[in-house]
């Protein structure tokens, strides 16, 4: 029938009983739904296989076990390719595939997939975030900032996107200032505020608070009083003696920046972990240079 002339097809359709035409329309309407349900099912299977493969890779010891996982990952990649070919407008498939490609080091291919995902559905924050990462790695900091801000706007309660913006502003601070996009003091405020918001949105993640505290060393106009309070809070939250000593070293640096060189020296004397020796010597050298004994 597909090869019949169009007029002949229309003529045949016109002779069908009304009920038959109605059934045909109903079937055609259900096909996209059935296709979507199948795509959802296949994507779930691929996601589960992928996570299982990563778990096996982390515990693999023998080379044949590693090779087996690699073959499985390639099979999953092939599965994503087939799913996208059969459901080319199903955005979640592109998102998962892009994340897998990125996780396995295929960043250029991942970016192309994320661009397609963004074209199909521009309201997915994780896609904006991944595109921002790619732009940042390519040195396209203004484009990266745009993507990270879109991710933040789409998911304002997600700490990660505030964190991403803060890190980008630190990494490209001189370029943002040099381009006139931010004044020096203005960008400092933004850096501190983004890391602070990330911590407030997810206070249970200690790494966010640590990064917020470290941000005071990244700016030209830090509020050392607030920095000191933040580092003291981290000291009380430390989970081990080593963590206490790491935080104590940061507190010593803050005290030095505040002009409290005697207090800074006392704190440094309390630090004896071998891995911190070089940092201790460096900080003590800076203190002695500015405040000779």
């Amino acid at each position: 029938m597909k090869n019949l002339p169009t007029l002949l097809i229309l003529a045949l359709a016109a002779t069908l009983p009304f009920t038959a035409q109605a059934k045909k329309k109903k079937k055609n309407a259900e096909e996209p739904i059935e296709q979507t349900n199948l795509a959802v099912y296949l994507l779930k299977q691929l996601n589960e296989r992928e996570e299982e493969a990563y778990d096996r890779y982390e515990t693999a010891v023998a080379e044949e076990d590693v090779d087996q996982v690699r073959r499985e990952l390639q099979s999953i990649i092939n599965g994503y390719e087939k799913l996208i070919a059969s459901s080319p407008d199903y955005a979640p498939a592109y998102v998962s595939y892009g994340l897998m490609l990125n996780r396995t080091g295929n960043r250029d291919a991942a970016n192309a997939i994320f661009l397609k995902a963004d074209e199909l559905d521009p309201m997915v924050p994780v896609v904006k975030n991944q595109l921002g990462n790619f732009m940042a790695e390519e040195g396209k900091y203004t484009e990266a900032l745009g993507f990270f801000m879109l991710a933040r706007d789409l998911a304002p309660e997600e700490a990660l996107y505030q964190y991403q913006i803060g890190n980008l502003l630190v990494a490209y601070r001189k370029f943002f200032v040099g381009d006139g996009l931010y004044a020096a003091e203005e960008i400092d405020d933004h850096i501190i505020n983004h890391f602070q918001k990330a911590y407030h949105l997810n206070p249970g993640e200690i790494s966010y608070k640590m990064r917020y505290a470290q941000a005071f060393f990244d700016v030209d106009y830090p509020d050392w009083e607030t920095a000191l309070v933040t580092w003291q809070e981290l000291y009380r939250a430390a989970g081990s003696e080593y963590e206490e000593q790491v935080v104590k070293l940061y507190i010593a640096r803050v005290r030095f920046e505040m002009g409290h060189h005697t207090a800074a020296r006392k704190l440094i004397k309390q630090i004896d972990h071998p891995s911190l020796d070089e940092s201790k010597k460096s900080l003590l050298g800076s203190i002695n240079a500015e405040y000779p004994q």
Side-chain angles (χ1 to χ4, degrees), residues 1-17 21 24 28:
M1 292 292 293
K2 290 182 180 180
N3 296 322
L4 289 174
T6 303
L7 290 176
L8 180 56
I9 293 175
L10 292 175
L12 289 171
T15 64
L16 290 172
Q21 293 187 58
K24 184 177 181 181
N28 289 339

Side-chain angles (χ1 to χ4, degrees), residues 251-270 284 287-288 290-293:
I251 293 174
R253 183 177 171 189
V254 173
R255 297 298 293 268
F256 162 57
E257 296 289 352
M258 297 174 74
H260 306 164
H261 55 92
T262 302
R265 286 191 176 97
K266 288 181 179 179
L267 287 168
I268 291 172
K269 288 180 180 179
Q270 299 171 19
L284 193 57
I287 294 171
N288 290 335
E290 190 161 343
Y291 302 100
Q293 289 183 317

Side-chain angles (χ1 to χ4, degrees), residues 217 249-250 252-254 256-257 264-265 268-269 271 273-291:
F217 301 113
L249 188 60
Y250 276 110
R253 183 177 171 189
V254 173
F256 162 57
E257 296 289 352
R265 286 191 176 97
I268 291 172
K269 288 180 180 179
I271 300 168
H273 197 283
S275 68
L276 301 176
D277 283 346
E278 288 302 316
S279 296
K280 279 172 52 182
K281 290 178 183 177
S282 176
L283 178 56
L284 193 57
S286 298
I287 294 171
N288 290 335
E290 190 161 343
Y291 302 100

Side-chain angles (χ1 to χ4, degrees), residues 120-148:
L120 291 170
D121 185 354
M123 304 300 287
V124 183
V126 68
V127 172
K128 304 293 188 188
N129 182 60
Q130 291 296 330
L131 291 171
N133 284 334
F134 184 84
M135 293 299 175
E137 291 167 3
E138 293 292 301
K140 299 177 180 179
Y141 49 92
T142 55
E143 292 92 334
L145 181 61
F147 279 120
F148 287 148

Side-chain angles (χ1 to χ4, degrees), residues 139-202:
K140 299 177 180 179
Y141 49 92
T142 55
E143 292 92 334
L145 181 61
F147 279 120
F148 287 148
M149 285 183 167
L150 286 169
R152 176 205 58 191
D153 293 344
L154 288 169
E157 299 304 313
E158 174 54 60
L160 174 63
Y161 306 135
Q162 298 285 353
Y163 178 83
Q164 292 283 67
I165 296 172
N167 277 331
L168 181 74
L169 294 179
V170 169
Y172 290 99
R173 184 182 184 280
K174 67 177 182 180
F175 297 102
F176 282 118
V177 173
D179 291 346
L181 298 174
Y182 292 94
E185 289 189 44
E186 179 190 17
I187 198 170
D188 284 356
D189 288 342
H190 281 284
I191 288 169
I192 297 298
N193 289 338
H194 283 299
F195 286 127
Q196 185 181 40
K197 285 177 183 176
Y199 158 61
H200 286 159
L201 286 170
N202 191 355

